[in-house]
Amino acid sequence: MGKAKISAGGGPIRVNNGKIIKRLAATSEISANTFVQVQAETAAVANLSSTTGTRSYVRVGKCSRNRVLFAYTDYNSYVRLGVGTHNGAGGITIPTTWTKTSKTGHQFRICEYAENVFILGHYCSDDSKSYFYRVSVADNNTITITLLAYISGDKGSIWEIVKVSDTRIAVLWGGSYNGMTLGLFSISGTTMTQLKTAQFLYDSANKNGADRGCMRRLTNGNLFVYASSYQNSSYSSYSGGYVVVINVSGDNISAGTPLRIDASALYSWCDCTETEPNEVFLVYERSNDAVLYAYLTVSGTTATVKKNDFIASSGHGDGDVFRVIYKDGLAWVLGDHGSTALLYCWIYEVSSSAIVSKGSFRAGADSYEYGADMLLTDDGYIIGMYTYRVSNTGSSTVPRYFTISSLAERVVVATSGITGITVNKISPTKMGKIYVLA
Amino acid sequence: MTIITDKESSRILAVGTLKEYWDNGYPIITDENGYDIAYPTDFTTMYEGVEVPDGVEPEKYCYTPADGFYPNPNYQEPNEYGIPDELVTRIKNDAVTEIEEAVINADE
């Protein structure tokens, strides 16, 4: 029987039920047919602010020098922004002073535009305009907010802002009865100019709408969009989750033919990530009761589903999907379970040949729908943020951060005939543990 | 007291004490609960040494030196669900539509 050689950091070894089985040395050998799992754990969870909000949306942005931009909507629906610093061991120095916008924006998004510079966008229902700001973070953590533009007309909430080039961004709107809208904008200094908009998942005859969505820029330069659509008068034929690939060419954008992924996806919280060039791992909520993934390949504006399966089966309960991030072959999915208010992180090994579940763990408790996000730091931590409900109804919430151990650690199944497996980049200084399951 | 108002609407965003300034010129106001917020100077106006009458609260009132304090004409009490009003309206409309559809289907 072969041996699997593992180059790894030491540390306590536990299985999922907490029983310690074995401690691995820095370099260990294990027998084949042994399931070796590098288990991530939540390293820290704490309040970012004691200021309560109501069902806040939250976002995190990566800054230089291990700093994180934290953003959430406060009790008056203003977007509050503060900078925290990761101490390299899972802890966060939380913001002491926050700043905030002066227009209300219950739902908002931020986009990393340059180092320590973000584009913040939100729809303001008070005046039916979408506002876009340049948010810059100085070395001393002060934040400067500059208005770039406001766009009139109700296009719904902003579901994603993606950097297209050094001077351009794309914005995805949805949530009105006008389907989804994608806008291409140029940015020069503090001026933001609309170049083109495209509307899709819209049927004027049936007054179809669309809501929730996610978007990523692909290697081929096009934009991958997933959104769920609905009918105003029924939830039948046109409802479902659709993928639309948007062609970006110069100042123009054009939407490809929508591909229905799931007929039952409705108001579907979702996110996606490009795992290999023009291959996408999409995770979405289906009809308030399940979480699914779809693995797709994209050629031009044509997407093809290669695999579609459950992550959390029917009965999971309002499985909102907030963020999917990918590195070193692993996709990390952040979502919640509405009926128990638990925040989950699911781990999947994703490649064009196989998609394998590597388990899940609880990232937080008493989370409230709408609010969670996470990012990957340069030193291998996940730093996340979620809305912690103070009251059961969610009418009072506070923003919390959580940190998760290294992403660089991999999960390996040693099978018969394999004579050597290397688990790369495991650092004993990280919080990750090695599990040897008999 | 120090008051921060929205430049466009003159509605009061904060009532508190001026603590200090960020390097970018944003004044940091400590509110009555002890929280510090830096207010962007592009969108807000700061007034110092203002006598604030009882009952004046951020969002519910506006302030200008010329007009003093006056009720914010656009202020609305938050709905009981804590979500945007338009979302409440949509949920209600969709629920009514579903019931109507069910009744129609039941009659067929």
Side-chain angles (χ1 to χ4, degrees):
Chain A
M1 183 175 288
K3 293 281 187 178
K5 183 178 180 181
I6 298 180
S7 302
I13 308 303
R14 290 181 298 171
V15 293
N16 286 333
N17 62 10
K19 181 182 177 185
I20 295 175
I21 291 184
K22 185 178 180 182
R23 179 186 295 272
L24 289 183
T27 299
S28 302
E29 290 195 353
I30 61 167
S31 299
N33 295 323
T34 301
F35 180 57
V36 181
Q37 184 177 19
V38 180
Q39 179 78 39
E41 289 187 343
T42 303
V45 178
N47 289 352
L48 276 163
S49 168
S50 55
T51 306
T52 56
T54 53
R55 307 187 182 201
S56 294
Y57 287 83
V58 303
R59 288 277 126 177
V60 289
K62 186 175 168 184
C63 300
S64 62
R65 297 188 288 113
N66 267 349
R67 294 176 303 159
V68 177
L69 177 69
F70 292 105
Y72 72 100
T73 39
D74 69 12
Y75 45 86
N76 286 321
S77 295
Y78 298 116
V79 182
R80 290 200 184 199
L81 301 156
V83 178
T85 303
H86 182 222
N87 66 9
I92 297 284
T93 304
I94 65 173
T96 53
T97 302
W98 298 77
T99 187
K100 64 179 185 179
T101 59
S102 58
K103 294 288 183 184
T104 57
H106 192 68
Q107 155 77 316
F108 71 95
R109 285 289 184 263
I110 60 174
C111 161
E112 293 176 22
Y113 187 66
E115 185 173 76
N116 300 323
V117 177
F118 302 85
I119 304 299
L120 162 68
H122 69 79
Y123 174 70
C124 176
S125 56
D126 290 345
D127 57 11
S128 300
K129 292 175 183 172
S130 296
Y131 287 84
F132 294 92
Y133 303 89
R134 181 182 188 275
V135 175
S136 62
V137 178
D139 284 347
N140 64 358
N141 293 349
T142 61
I143 298 167
T144 301
I145 306 172
T146 307
L147 180 66
L148 291 173
Y150 58 85
I151 309 296
S152 298
D154 180 7
K155 299 178 178 65
S157 297
I158 293 174
W159 290 108
E160 197 59 270
I161 305 172
V162 166
K163 181 180 177 180
V164 173
S165 71
D166 286 343
T167 58
R168 289 179 182 189
I169 61 168
V171 178
L172 180 69
W173 281 276
S176 69
Y177 287 105
N178 295 312
M180 302 296 283
T181 303
L182 190 134
L184 183 67
F185 297 86
S186 68
I187 296 177
S188 176
T190 57
T191 302
M192 180 169 149
T193 306
Q194 181 172 302
L195 300 173
K196 191 84 173 180
T197 60
Q199 194 177 21
F200 51 95
L201 294 183
Y202 174 58
D203 181 342
S204 58
N206 294 314
K207 293 184 178 178
N208 286 324
D211 199 358
R212 316 274 197 273
C214 57
M215 174 169 66
R216 289 289 176 274
R217 184 173 184 271
L218 301 175
T219 299
N220 70 9
N222 290 341
L223 297 166
F224 179 96
V225 173
Y226 168 84
S228 53
S229 74
Y230 55 87
Q231 279 189 323
N232 194 16
S233 56
S234 73
Y235 297 95
S236 55
S237 60
Y238 201 76
S239 301
Y242 288 80
V243 164
V244 182
V245 181
I246 312 288
N247 177 257
V248 181
S249 178
D251 291 350
N252 289 311
I253 51 176
S254 56
T257 304
L259 169 69
R260 186 157 78 175
I261 301 295
D262 194 316
S264 300
L266 184 68
Y267 300 116
S268 175
W269 290 95
C270 53
D271 197 26
C272 59
T273 183
E274 188 180 42
T275 53
E276 292 180 33
N278 306 315
E279 297 187 3
V280 177
F281 187 62
L282 162 71
V283 186
Y284 62 94
E285 172 191 12
R286 193 184 78 173
S287 299
N288 293 325
D289 75 347
V291 177
L292 291 91
Y293 74 78
Y295 187 80
L296 304 100
T297 59
V298 178
S299 176
T301 58
T302 302
T304 305
V305 178
K306 294 296 183 185
K307 196 169 182 185
N308 192 188
D309 205 348
F310 284 100
I311 283 181
S313 62
S314 180
H316 182 74
D318 197 20
D320 304 323
V321 176
F322 298 117
R323 176 62 80 192
V324 181
I325 55 181
Y326 178 81
K327 190 180 182 187
D328 294 337
L330 291 183
W332 297 64
V333 180
L334 184 67
D336 75 4
H337 182 276
S339 58
T340 61
L342 296 177
L343 191 66
Y344 282 96
C345 190
W346 292 281
I347 309 167
Y348 274 76
E349 192 167 47
V350 178
S351 70
S352 54
S353 57
I355 297 170
V356 182
S357 169
K358 296 302 178 185
S360 65
F361 64 98
R362 205 172 75 180
D366 288 322
S367 71
Y368 205 82
E369 60 180 339
Y370 304 149
D373 192 17
M374 61 182 181
L375 57 76
L376 174 65
T377 67
D378 291 336
D379 57 356
Y381 275 83
I382 288 175
I383 296 176
M385 184 177 184
Y386 74 100
T387 303
Y388 174 75
R389 64 180 195 183
V390 178
S391 66
N392 285 337
T393 61
S395 60
S396 183
T397 62
V398 295
R400 278 191 161 180
Y401 76 81
F402 61 87
T403 60
I404 300 173
S405 57
S406 177
L407 261 186
E409 298 160 353
R410 290 182 60 89
V411 179
V412 176
V413 178
T415 57
S416 177
I418 293 177
T419 56
I421 297 172
T422 301
V423 181
N424 293 315
K425 300 178 184 176
I426 292 182
S427 163
T429 63
K430 302 289 173 55
M431 296 297 290
K433 309 293 191 300
I434 298 173
Y435 296 76
V436 180
L437 309 181
Chain B
M1 299 295 285
T2 301
I3 291 176
I4 300 289
T5 63
D6 175 48
K7 263 187 181 164
E8 256 182 38
S9 64
S10 297
R11 74 183 186 280
I12 298 172
L13 300 175
V15 177
T17 56
L18 175 64
K19 182 180 182 183
E20 57 182 330
Y21 290 88
W22 267 355
D23 288 352
N24 58 8
Y26 289 12
I28 299 173
I29 305 299
T30 305
D31 68 16
E32 60 181 7
N33 298 312
Y35 300 126
D36 293 340
I37 297 288
Y39 287 89
T41 47
D42 282 1
F43 321 121
T44 60
T45 305
M46 182 175 72
Y47 302 100
E48 290 185 88
V50 180
E51 191 88 12
V52 181
D54 288 344
V56 167
E57 293 179 37
E59 301 298 328
K60 291 184 178 179
Y61 281 82
C62 300
Y63 174 80
T64 65
D67 299 326
F69 295 94
Y70 57 94
N72 178 359
N74 297 316
Y75 179 76
Q76 289 182 327
E77 288 289 340
N79 65 63
E80 60 184 304
Y81 307 106
I83 56 178
D85 290 336
E86 71 269 23
L87 193 55
V88 174
T89 303
R90 265 182 46 198
I91 292 169
K92 286 179 178 174
N93 290 341
D94 286 349
V96 169
T97 303
E98 274 191 80
I99 294 167
E100 287 173 349
E101 292 277 333
V103 170
I104 291 168
N105 291 335
D107 289 343
E108 288 174 350

